[in-house]
Amino acid sequence: MVRRKLIAGNWKMNCLSADGVALAKSVAAQVKAGKFDCEFLICPPFTLLGLVKKCLRGSKVGLGAQDVHFAEKGAHTGDISPLMIKDLGCSYTIIGHSERRVDHAESNQLINQKAVAAHAAGLNTVICIGETEKERDAGKTIKVCQTEINGSVPADSTAKNTVIAYEPIWAIGTGKTPTAADVQEVHAAIRQALAKKLGKATASKMRILYGGSVKPGNAAELLSLPDVDGALIGGASLKADDFIAIAKNASK
Ligand code: PGA
């Protein structure tokens, strides 16, 4: 089964206009100049989506948001609807990132609702799951991932509209990563959980990204694993050269 790798940058709450424009332009130019056999996505903060879209015009780099509300519109102060995101030129949104699960107490049920709304609006979703360090130490990693898959991935998910990102929380922004064998084991278990929920055919086509301290130095090993179909990159996506260096390993 050939799954085209997705190299996605999650800028998180970083960049003002000038930095965001420079970063997006540099990524777009390097993608255009190079030879890559992967799909690219960058997810700037909401405030920069319109500006970054302009920088990506004519490039193969897709645009995504970092979150979305489940309602179409209405009295939800401070929130952004799927159609608003679509209107700005996004094709994707991240949902259920651990920073949102923790900072905003987002539940699997809420994430599921958000994914349904995003899909209904024609957006693709990157649904994030992953265990804490305590859960890993207690041997609960696979159980936690199964529970999060069951709760947050909606029944309408297809290999086209949904990408899963496995991000061990203890590996995010810490410089620590699981061993390659551990990553492969968890990704295979995630694919099994997806098969149980969505059927074997869908699960075998659905992309599962790894996220958590992906850098140019560890990308080759991580991206060569059979069930790793790309990366969700935080810190290293803020440097165009690092982001591109990581992507070079997805093209092999
Ligand atoms: P990191 O973040 O690459 O900075 O560890 C990854 C993420 O949270 O998506």
Side-chain angles (χ1 to χ4, degrees), residues 1-48:
M1 170 53 57
V2 179
R3 294 177 295 262
R4 191 152 188 253
K5 288 198 169 58
L6 173 63
I7 300 299
N10 173 11
W11 293 7
K12 307 194 180 183
M13 197 170 73
N14 292 295
C15 294
L16 299 180
S17 311
D19 302 328
V21 164
L23 178 55
K25 280 188 173 163
S26 177
V27 169
Q30 294 193 59
V31 168
K32 206 169 185 181
K35 258 199 153 183
F36 298 93
D37 187 22
C38 59
E39 186 184 335
F40 283 94
L41 177 68
I42 53 179
C43 304
F46 288 130
T47 48
L48 295 181

Side-chain angles (χ1 to χ4, degrees), residues 10 12 97 99 167 171-174 211-215 232-236:
N10 173 11
K12 307 194 180 183
H97 191 282
E99 284 149 17
E167 301 203 302
I172 295 176
T174 58
S213 296
V214 178
K215 308 268 180 251
L232 182 56
I233 305 150

